[in-house]
Amino acid sequence: MTRSRSLIRLVAVALSAGVALGAVAARAEELSLVSGAVGNDLAELEAQLKIFTEKTGHTVKVVNMPASTTDQFGQYRLWLSAGNADIDVYRTDVIWAPQLAEHFVDLTEAAKDVAKDHFPAIIESQTVNGKLVALPMFTDAPALYYRKDLLEKYGKQPPKTWDEMAATAKEIQDKEREAGSAQLWGFVFQANAYEGLTCNALEWIKSFGGGQIVEADGTISVNNEKAAKALDTVKTWVGSIAPEGVLAYQEEDARGLWQTGNAVFMRNWPYAYALGNGDDSAVKGKFDVTTLPVGAEGESSAATLGGWNLAVAKYSTKQEAAIELALYLASAEAQKYRALQNSRLPTIEALYDDPEIQEKQPIIPRWKEVFQNAVPRPSAPTKTKYNEVSSEFWTAVHNTLSGDGDGATNLKKLAARLKRLQGSSW
Ligand code: GLC
């Protein structure tokens, strides 16, 4: 090799090394991901982000939000409307897609090889006018948690109807209190004035045969006798089988009381299953889950469909890396980890047949059918007005449960408000 040739080679090697280094440097982004959390969500997320960083070189800062989806939505809507470039990836609730779609990147192309692995209905729920707004992280459908030991002790079966549930709750509560368990309550659920109450109340109303608030075709159906009866029934529980404080309970409040062994029944999402069986739980090994009870004869159990997704902000200046992050957290590997650690329901069908998941979190294979039959909230028919519709609904329900007007009166007023919101169309 002549001198000049070797010099050229050296330069070429140096250049390509430089380019490669440059490429790596440009690729290693500092991303920010905003997420609310309940239970162990945050610890699980941080553990997964560590793996993501090892794999890709990207680092991720988590911006932690309050647990309430309602609070998160309010903040995100403000940030997104202002074109905030500080957040790259948002953890989004299943109901938000139609309202926030315009602010997110279309992930259709990025997800073209993996979208088919997820349940089609979930992908569809995140698709707005042909745009894939977010990638599914986990799905959600609630359970009726019950204390096996207490039901056995009093010779009771897991209840099939809400009335049976209330009667069993009352009997066990009374007898256990007499025997010295002064703190025990029959049933805990989520009745704070927020999105979680919309989920609970939709379940009561639907299982009483009272419809889905606003039907898939946009009809406002909530002002009916069965719906009113459902709410009046639940009102009788407050202060009798449920503490008065339930009117301020969110998921974690209910779980807190349940996990210290102070409730016979609890309505909650599957994340409470893994936590309830944790070493620090007073109910470890003492509980099981069943589907939520039925309201009226001939009706079926209704579970509200929930779930969380990952969306990339249009305003992110690091979209490529942000998409990698969303793809990773939605991947089979990440979903399996989440299922094993936090009993979160995968959105990837194959994982329901995974023997490790089946063994460690038996609620997951059992809940496949429950979430597939779950009732969606009316976010698709009410489009950009969903949050307002839901907020009017939970207010009417909260008023009823607080004794401020009965079901019939409050649902009549609600229907009039919804009609105004609807205008000439949703
Ligand atoms: C759960 C559900 C979510 C729902 C929320 C209500 O997090 O996954 O969809 O909006 O509960 O509190």
Side-chain angles (χ1 to χ4, degrees), residues 95-96 98-99 195 198-199 213 377-380 382-391 426:
I95 47 178
W96 298 346
Q99 288 184 93
E195 184 64 28
T198 290
C199 298
I213 315 167
R377 282 160 278 173
S379 73
T382 60
K383 303 193 182 92
T384 53
K385 309 248 180 81
Y386 175 72
N387 191 54
E388 286 67 29
V389 168
S390 182
S391 148
W426 289 112

Side-chain angles (χ1 to χ4, degrees), residues 69 93-95 138 140 194-196 199 251 269 305-308 377:
T69 179
D93 199 334
V94 67
I95 47 178
F138 61 88
D140 237 355
Y194 79 125
E195 184 64 28
C199 298
E251 284 79 0
W269 307 94
L305 180 65
W308 291 84
R377 282 160 278 173

Side-chain angles (χ1 to χ4, degrees), residues 88-90 103-105 107 133 310-314 316 319 322-323 326:
D88 303 294
V89 179
Y90 287 76
H103 301 293
F104 295 134
V105 168
L107 297 169
V133 171
L310 296 145
V312 173
K314 238 171 52 182
S316 161
Q319 285 181 14
I323 291 172

Side-chain angles (χ1 to χ4, degrees), residues 15 87-88 90 103 132 170 222 230 251 255 258 364 368 394 423 426:
L15 266 179
I87 308 286
D88 303 294
Y90 287 76
H103 301 293
L132 182 58
K170 182 82 174 76
V222 74
E251 284 79 0
R255 187 176 70 81
W258 160 260
I364 292 182
K368 180 178 176 189
W394 79 57
W426 289 112

Side-chain angles (χ1 to χ4, degrees), residues 205-420:
I205 291 180
K206 175 79 178 164
S207 73
F208 270 79
Q212 295 176 217
I213 315 167
V214 174
E215 303 304 308
D217 66 1
T219 313
I220 299 166
S221 63
V222 74
N223 183 19
N224 68 74
E225 272 175 27
K226 291 173 176 171
K229 182 163 180 221
L231 299 190
D232 292 337
T233 303
V234 177
K235 162 82 181 88
T236 66
W237 303 341
V238 179
S240 64
I241 56 169
E244 292 281 352
V246 80
L247 293 172
Y249 275 20
Q250 299 187 3
E251 284 79 0
E252 287 290 84
D253 307 297
R255 187 176 70 81
L257 197 133
W258 160 260
Q259 226 173 277
T260 48
N262 285 323
V264 183
F265 296 108
M266 170 178 72
R267 180 265 184 214
N268 218 327
W269 307 94
Y271 82 99
Y273 190 90
L275 290 163
N277 280 322
D279 287 336
D280 60 350
S281 164
V283 297
K284 181 178 179 179
K286 292 186 181 165
F287 71 93
D288 202 350
V289 287
T290 185
T291 48
L292 294 175
V294 171
E297 210 168 310
E299 299 300 333
S300 20
S301 161
T304 298
L305 180 65
W308 291 84
N309 308 277
L310 296 145
V312 173
K314 238 171 52 182
Y315 318 105
S316 161
T317 53
K318 305 161 189 165
Q319 285 181 14
E320 214 174 298
I323 291 172
E324 268 183 73
L325 174 59
L327 279 167
Y328 180 70
L329 291 175
S331 69
E333 177 185 338
Q335 292 210 8
K336 177 167 176 177
Y337 185 90
R338 194 169 294 124
L340 290 173
Q341 299 300 316
N342 279 5
S343 52
R344 290 297 198 180
L345 303 177
T347 65
I348 294 175
E349 184 155 17
L351 290 175
Y352 287 81
D353 299 324
D354 183 291
E356 244 182 295
I357 294 180
Q358 291 180 338
E359 207 222 304
K360 188 158 179 216
Q361 304 295 358
I363 188 178
I364 292 182
R366 289 173 63 196
W367 244 244
K368 180 178 176 189
E369 208 188 308
V370 178
F371 99 76
Q372 286 187 296
N373 289 309
V375 187
R377 282 160 278 173
S379 73
T382 60
K383 303 193 182 92
T384 53
K385 309 248 180 81
Y386 175 72
N387 191 54
E388 286 67 29
V389 168
S390 182
S391 148
E392 292 290 0
F393 175 65
W394 79 57
T395 304
V397 175
H398 198 265
N399 287 345
T400 313
L401 302 189
S402 315
D404 179 4
D406 64 7
T409 314
N410 287 332
L411 291 182
K412 187 163 175 238
K413 283 192 207 154
L414 170 66
R417 291 212 171 87
L418 295 185
K419 193 89 215 143
R420 275 202 294 279

